[in-house]
Amino acid sequence: MNKKLYKLMNWPQIEEIIYSECDNPHELLGPHKSGSQTLLQAYFPEASAVKVKWKGAGVGATTEGLWKKDLEMELADEDGYFAALVPAKSLPVYSYLVTDKDGVEREYGDPYRFAPQLTKEDTEKFKNGIHYTVYEKLGAHPMEIDGCEGVLFAVWAPSAMRISVVGDFNNWDGRVHQMRRLWDSGVFELFVPGAKKGDNYKFELKLKGGITYLKADPYGNAAQLRPETASVVADLRDFKWEDADFIKNRQNFQTGNAPMSVYEVYLGSVVEPAEGKEYANYREIAPVLIDYVKKMNYTHVELMPVMEHPFDASWGYQVIGYYAPTARYGTPEDFMYFVNELHKAGIGVILDWVPAHFPRDVYGLSNFDGTCLYEHRDPRQGFHPHWGTLIYNYGRPEVSNYLIANALFWVEKFHADAIRMDAVASMLYLDYGKNDGEWVANMYGGKENLEAIEMIKHLNSVMKKRNPGVLSIAEESTAFPRVTGDLNEDGLGFDLKWNMGFMNDYLDYIKYDPYFRSHHHGELTFSMIYAYSEKFMLTFSHDEVVHGKATMVGKMPGERADKFAGLRLSYGYMMTHPGKKALFMGQDLAEFDEWNENRRIRYDLLQYPEHAGVAELVKDLNKLYQTNPALYEFDDSPVGFEWINNISADDCYLTYLRKTDKPEEILLVVANFSGVEKDITTGVPYEGKYKEILNTDAVKYGGSGVVNSRIKAAVDTEWDDRRQSVTVKLAPQSLSILQFVPYTEEELTKVIEARIRKNTPVMKTVKKPAVKKVTKKETKK
């Protein structure tokens, strides 16, 4: 090495790089001005020779023909550190021609000639927890800089001494691509020329004590299929969405009191994979799911977590790759296709999302930079004994930013229509699932997790501002107040809350033999006491049909026919009870086998009449629910529901109304929960006719055919504190829905005349709306 070049070498810093302990390699590597010349330094471990290949002309060259030939670099350190003094003020685009010890020459771009791509504004917003698109900065992002194609890698790990990105592009050698720490942000960044979509990679972290280990990318957009654990470079820019019309109409489609009937799905159970494959692809699942959902009249599908997770039996609820659709079913583009196709078919997509905890797998978030970065250090705050998982430190702005941006990511990049937040109760309470001494009180001595509550409010506020019409749904199992309350009134800001109380109480009630149900009548009706305290979604979810709990039909008591009758009654009651609806896959087919992640939905059961009948009932109930305003228009207001008889515990039946502000839209529901056939007399709100529009015991639903085929006129028999009544025949464990039909003027006149003859008081009546005759002239208009 010539003396001038030797004197320019900063040997202590060079040693830092060679020993892979440098957090600012750009200070040395790459091009740097040295008077009227440029000092170029590069580190290629174990290389025998390096030349600079010019791809243009620089400025201020003092040597003629400099740019026309490759420049041989000098070996400054035998470990592979090279340097060259270029007689020019600035350099053109260049690459390195590197000859390894075996004499093989390869061409590489210089990652150390580029300025930082993250700005101080980016890191400051992230530091304060308000960088809502931080997923576009951290992670791995293919891009072009100064005509050079490559991938920008960035990761947050403030306590690491040195971080390198390793992968297919550098033979997984942590010495090659050491990353630059950006000021005091704790973020490390590097643009790697030549890295590309599809490359596997991880981050190699070295701590001050010398411990070196690998971590998957917390912000990675794709990952290898388990049991492999590397992240995969993905490019989310290429997919062409075709769902603009659906997105435009989304607010009308699903907000407020719009009817929602949700089909909860585990994607691995929808389609039998092709021979030799473990799973079907998102693109193969989409048409099968669309066909079934449309046929069954569901409005939405809810997907159990599609985020990357290592353990199949967690069903996705122990997430490692929060920003990556699971590789089990394909690529991120494949999942985009899946959502796009459902939207084109008019089907909404709800994603289960798990911000409550994360698994301890060593390649994931746990102890990420040698410290408890994402979790609490104190196990009383940071460990879930219930699940054996770790709890996020929601009070750390960068951690809450990670989660808030993640929910926005699935909505804004993958067009999700709703986020269902899992295990909210475990986030709200510091003592959830813990014994005394296993938790730490908040600053006021209480058990509420104030940081988690603030994070939830922050997310719901930002979601509503950035994505109006997208729903935020809470799976919250306690009586925590105002879960769906307005943020301005100290509510949590969710749009809907799963009604776990309804599900638990009803399933506890219905499991009893009808003979004993009279003693548990309060469990059947209790849900209406608090029905309007929140905006609820009724659900029979996956949690209720696994781990020995039995399927929905399996929970029903009695012989086989009794079980199917009880199931049909249950679905009828759920669909006529206030609240949105959600049902787990397979339960609309009356599957007897408990669900597990290794089997498919039993579509073959449709060949059996009793199973096909249940499916037909759910299909018709979904349609009835969506086409009768009485079942949804005042869903979150007492105006829309009225008990007629909820006190006949000994007789095990209920009668109630679903209403709008138009009397002619009223529905009368009569439900027989007893084990015997009954003629149930019920008071009615208006004189007129009551026409049965659905009976769960109809033959086409697999029932015995005890229905009310003739329209029923109200009679002057006082019942249930009402002057008029009708009598409905019901089979054991069945439910009838009757539509109120007002009398025509002619019919009403005859009723009044008959009443006068009998000297009976004139009743409250509703006339059938008169139909105006339209002339030919008006038709032309």
Side-chain angles (χ1 to χ4, degrees):
M1 175 175 285
N2 68 60
K3 289 183 179 181
K4 186 174 183 180
L5 186 58
Y6 183 87
K7 289 180 180 180
L8 292 173
M9 296 293 96
N10 187 325
W11 296 107
Q13 285 189 321
I14 290 173
E15 190 172 273
E16 248 190 357
I17 290 173
I18 291 173
Y19 283 96
S20 302
E21 295 179 348
C22 183
D23 67 354
N24 189 14
H26 291 70
E27 189 176 8
L28 215 59
L29 300 177
H32 295 273
K33 284 186 178 180
S34 179
S36 62
Q37 297 179 306
T38 300
L39 176 63
L40 191 59
Q41 300 177 78
Y43 178 47
F44 292 98
E46 302 174 17
S48 61
V50 175
K51 291 186 289 186
V52 183
K53 179 181 179 180
W54 308 114
K55 299 187 177 181
V59 177
T62 59
T63 303
E64 189 176 347
L66 173 65
W67 314 118
K68 294 182 180 180
K69 59 181 180 179
D70 299 339
L71 175 67
E72 188 84 31
M73 299 185 75
E74 294 193 48
L75 181 64
D77 188 283
E78 61 184 9
D79 196 60
Y81 196 90
F82 293 82
L85 195 58
V86 184
K89 291 182 179 180
S90 67
L91 306 184
V93 175
Y94 62 89
S95 62
Y96 294 117
L97 299 175
V98 181
T99 303
D100 63 22
K101 58 185 178 182
D102 297 322
V104 178
E105 185 180 83
R106 295 182 177 87
E107 184 173 352
Y108 299 99
D110 186 356
Y112 300 102
R113 71 179 182 89
F114 301 98
Q117 298 304 300
L118 273 74
T119 65
K120 287 196 173 182
E121 181 184 2
D122 286 324
T123 57
E124 195 65 23
K125 287 167 67 177
F126 179 56
K127 182 179 179 181
N128 289 300
I130 56 172
H131 199 319
Y132 304 124
T133 57
V134 68
Y135 52 79
E136 294 180 343
K137 303 297 181 178
L138 299 183
H141 301 284
M143 60 179 63
E144 180 182 310
I145 303 178
D146 295 338
C148 182
E149 296 280 352
V151 176
L152 177 69
F153 294 95
V155 63
W156 176 59
S159 294
M161 180 174 68
R162 182 269 302 169
I163 301 180
S164 299
V165 59
V166 297
D168 296 340
F169 41 82
N170 62 13
N171 203 31
W172 296 84
D173 189 338
R175 299 172 295 176
V176 176
H177 289 124
Q178 298 176 51
M179 303 175 75
R180 163 175 46 198
R181 186 192 297 269
L182 298 179
W183 29 97
D184 62 348
S185 66
V187 174
F188 289 74
E189 179 214 63
L190 188 69
F191 177 73
V192 179
K196 61 188 183 303
K197 175 180 175 180
D199 282 345
N200 300 314
Y201 72 98
K202 281 187 178 181
F203 294 113
E204 182 182 278
L205 290 81
K206 188 171 186 177
L207 307 183
K208 289 179 180 178
I211 295 174
T212 305
Y213 55 90
L214 298 175
K215 287 286 189 180
D217 185 356
Y219 287 86
N221 294 145
Q224 288 182 303
L225 177 62
R226 56 96 185 95
E228 303 301 328
T229 59
S231 301
V232 179
V233 176
D235 192 342
L236 305 184
R237 301 172 298 177
D238 297 336
F239 187 80
K240 305 300 181 187
W241 290 92
E242 302 169 326
D243 61 350
D245 290 343
F246 183 90
I247 298 297
K248 183 179 179 181
N249 188 52
R250 180 164 59 189
Q251 197 156 1
N252 295 327
F253 173 66
Q254 64 181 25
T255 60
N257 281 330
M260 284 181 66
S261 185
V262 179
Y263 185 59
E264 189 189 10
V265 175
Y266 178 76
L267 285 178
S269 294
V270 177
V271 175
E272 191 70 37
E275 188 175 350
K277 291 188 176 181
E278 198 171 357
Y279 294 99
N281 187 276
Y282 292 111
R283 294 173 186 262
E284 297 169 323
I285 296 169
V288 175
L289 190 58
I290 289 169
D291 181 64
Y292 186 76
V293 167
K294 295 297 285 184
K295 181 176 72 174
M296 293 295 290
N297 296 317
Y298 291 105
T299 61
H300 292 69
V301 297
E302 178 181 326
L303 306 182
M304 293 166 70
V306 296
M307 301 81 188
E308 194 56 77
H309 53 281
F311 184 41
D312 290 2
S314 75
W315 312 326
Y317 291 98
Q318 293 192 10
V319 180
I320 287 286
Y322 274 78
Y323 285 83
T326 177
R328 288 166 174 81
Y329 316 114
T331 66
E333 290 86 353
D334 292 334
F335 184 60
M336 288 176 170
Y337 174 90
F338 173 90
V339 176
N340 190 57
E341 291 302 301
L342 265 70
H343 279 177
K344 285 162 60 180
I347 301 167
V349 179
I350 303 170
L351 299 184
D352 278 11
W353 182 59
V354 192
H357 59 114
F358 60 94
R360 294 176 292 168
D361 299 61
V362 294
Y363 69 93
L365 298 178
S366 66
N367 203 41
F368 191 81
D369 64 350
T371 69
C372 295
L373 186 63
Y374 286 87
E375 69 273 30
H376 286 277
R377 182 178 181 183
D378 188 334
R380 295 175 299 167
Q381 297 172 294
F383 180 69
H384 247 311
H386 203 69
W387 297 307
T389 52
L390 300 175
I391 302 171
Y392 283 103
N393 184 350
Y394 303 106
R396 182 167 285 161
E398 295 92 342
V399 174
S400 66
N401 200 151
Y402 174 76
L403 293 170
I404 290 169
N406 184 240
L408 296 170
F409 168 81
W410 291 103
V411 169
E412 296 174 6
K413 291 296 184 182
F414 287 91
H415 292 204
D417 304 299
I419 298 293
R420 194 220 63 151
M421 195 180 296
D422 183 68
V424 172
S426 74
M427 299 171 66
L428 298 177
Y429 293 105
L430 296 165
D431 64 343
Y432 183 89
K434 298 181 179 182
N435 300 315
D436 290 345
E438 294 179 345
W439 61 283
V440 179
N442 65 33
M443 60 190 293
Y444 301 112
K447 61 182 180 180
E448 295 80 13
N449 190 332
L450 303 179
E451 290 85 3
I453 291 169
E454 179 56 34
M455 191 278 289
I456 290 170
K457 289 182 176 181
H458 189 169
L459 168 58
N460 286 334
S461 172
V462 173
M463 184 67 80
K464 286 175 171 56
K465 289 175 182 175
R466 291 175 64 94
N467 302 285
V470 170
L471 300 178
S472 180
I473 304 170
E475 185 215 17
E476 205 284 315
S477 55
T478 73
F480 192 92
R482 302 193 60 76
V483 172
T484 56
D486 192 282
L487 288 163
N488 295 322
E489 298 173 2
D490 203 30
L492 294 184
F494 286 100
D495 296 287
L496 294 168
K497 170 182 172 175
W498 269 22
N499 195 335
M500 313 292 279
F502 166 84
M503 176 178 68
N504 292 327
D505 287 345
Y506 183 81
L507 293 179
D508 279 345
Y509 171 84
I510 204 69
K511 73 181 181 184
Y512 289 106
D513 185 284
Y515 183 81
F516 300 105
R517 285 178 183 164
S518 60
H519 304 293
H520 302 273
H521 196 70
E523 294 174 38
L524 180 62
T525 60
F526 182 68
S527 59
M528 285 310 303
I529 293 176
Y530 61 85
Y532 304 109
S533 62
E534 301 279 6
K535 297 172 183 175
F536 282 118
M537 175 178 282
L538 310 182
T539 177
F540 293 131
S541 73
H542 68 274
D543 280 326
E544 304 312 309
V545 297
V546 293
H547 300 325
K549 296 180 184 178
T551 62
M552 284 297 294
V553 70
K555 296 177 192 295
M556 305 298 149
E559 300 296 326
R560 189 177 180 90
D562 300 324
K563 288 179 176 292
F564 278 90
L567 184 65
R568 294 192 299 268
L569 167 63
S570 298
Y571 292 159
Y573 184 57
M574 176 192 186
M575 282 294 188
T576 54
H577 188 290
K580 315 291 189 186
K581 325 298 178 186
L583 186 63
F584 183 58
M585 63 181 185
Q587 305 316 298
D588 52 3
L589 300 173
E591 291 185 348
F592 275 97
D593 293 335
E594 283 191 352
W595 174 78
N596 67 73
E597 71 279 2
N598 297 315
R599 75 166 181 87
R600 314 295 167 230
I601 302 173
R602 292 286 308 279
Y603 294 119
D604 60 300
L605 292 176
L606 290 172
Q607 65 185 299
Y608 304 106
E610 54 194 358
H611 293 277
V614 172
E616 189 68 20
L617 173 66
V618 173
K619 172 185 173 182
D620 287 353
L621 283 169
N622 279 334
K623 185 175 182 180
L624 186 74
Y625 166 52
Q626 295 165 47
T627 55
N628 282 267
L631 292 175
Y632 64 81
E633 192 169 284
F634 292 106
D635 212 27
D636 59 0
S637 166
V639 174
F641 180 93
E642 182 180 347
W643 285 120
I644 293 178
N645 186 330
N646 65 336
I647 60 173
S648 294
D650 289 344
D651 293 317
C652 290
Y653 77 83
L654 296 174
T655 60
Y656 50 93
L657 302 174
R658 295 303 312 273
K659 306 183 295 181
T660 69
D661 54 2
K662 299 176 182 177
E664 64 271 16
E665 292 180 344
I666 278 180
L667 296 180
L668 169 66
V669 182
V670 185
N672 178 17
F673 289 88
S674 77
V676 296
E677 186 176 309
K678 286 182 180 292
D679 289 326
I680 297 177
T681 301
T682 177
V684 292
Y686 303 110
E687 69 174 1
K689 296 174 289 186
Y690 292 83
K691 179 183 179 182
E692 186 173 83
I693 56 175
L694 186 141
N695 191 308
T696 62
D697 195 58
V699 173
K700 72 172 182 172
Y701 303 140
S704 62
V706 178
V707 298
N708 300 273
S709 54
R710 297 185 65 180
I711 197 165
K712 295 185 174 294
V715 297
D716 296 333
T717 302
E718 187 171 334
W719 210 274
D720 299 321
D721 293 329
R722 299 167 191 266
R723 291 186 176 181
Q724 288 198 312
S725 59
V726 296
T727 299
V728 180
K729 182 181 285 293
L730 284 175
Q733 299 194 97
S734 66
L735 178 143
S736 173
I737 304 173
L738 300 99
Q739 174 80 58
F740 171 59
V741 181
Y743 284 136
T744 63
E745 289 193 15
E746 183 180 348
E747 289 171 332
L748 183 57
T749 300
K750 290 181 180 179
V751 169
I752 293 173
E753 289 175 350
R755 188 170 288 128
I756 291 172
R757 287 196 298 271
K758 293 181 180 180
N759 199 26
T760 305
V762 177
M763 305 300 299
K764 179 171 63 172
T765 62
V766 175
K767 294 182 182 179
K768 187 173 183 178
V771 178
K772 181 183 177 183
K773 293 183 179 179
V774 182
T775 64
K776 290 183 179 179
K777 187 175 181 180
E778 288 173 319
T779 302
K780 289 179 181 178
K781 288 181 181 179

